[in-house]
Amino acid sequence: MASQELTARVDSWIWSVRLVTTRSQATAACRAGHVHLNGDRVKPAHAVRAGDTVRVRHGGHERIVVVTRVLSKRTSAAVAGECFIDHSPPPAPRDVAAVGARDRGAGRPTKRDRRALERLRDHEKRQRTSSSPPDTPSHG
């Protein structure tokens, strides 16, 4: 017998290599169809082998990894990082300035500030709706 396991459950493996924080999250992701193995949706008990490509959608991010070593028990982060090759796309850039962002500790907005924010939001809303073609009735 080989000293290293050849297969493991996919939910156990994505938890073991720390792609999700809990085993129940891994199982729930599989049941919801957020885990793909070699392009196919899989159930939690599906076997994963070295060389397989695993796609996990969790927390709004997609992780694409290639299995290099199969684990069934959760190990340290250093060991877990050696068990896969990450081919995930870089995360999307975050919005830097939100509309109506205030300095930390600036307190509650004044009535004047609130009305200025409402004007700004109404202006942006009108711009978004005006970019679509208007529904004008034809007279004629």
Side-chain angles (χ1 to χ4, degrees), residues 85-97:
I85 300 169
D86 197 355
H87 294 295
S88 303
R94 302 178 90 188
D95 290 334
V96 177

Side-chain angles (χ1 to χ4, degrees), residues 46-86:
H46 198 281
V48 65
R49 294 174 180 79
D52 287 345
T53 301
V54 179
R55 296 173 81 104
V56 179
R57 184 99 176 133
H58 180 70
H61 303 289
E62 184 172 35
R63 299 284 307 267
I64 303 168
V65 296
V66 175
V67 179
T68 57
R69 194 167 116 200
V70 178
L71 295 176
S72 61
K73 301 282 184 186
R74 193 166 172 101
T75 60
S76 68
V79 173
E82 297 171 357
C83 294
F84 63 88
I85 300 169
D86 197 355

Side-chain angles (χ1 to χ4, degrees), residues 108-125:
R108 187 173 168 178
T110 63
K111 185 183 275 190
R112 183 178 184 180
D113 292 339
R114 183 179 50 81
R115 287 182 176 162
L117 283 171
E118 287 174 356
R119 279 194 302 273
L120 178 64
R121 288 183 182 139
D122 287 342
H123 179 71
E124 287 178 347
K125 186 188 279 186

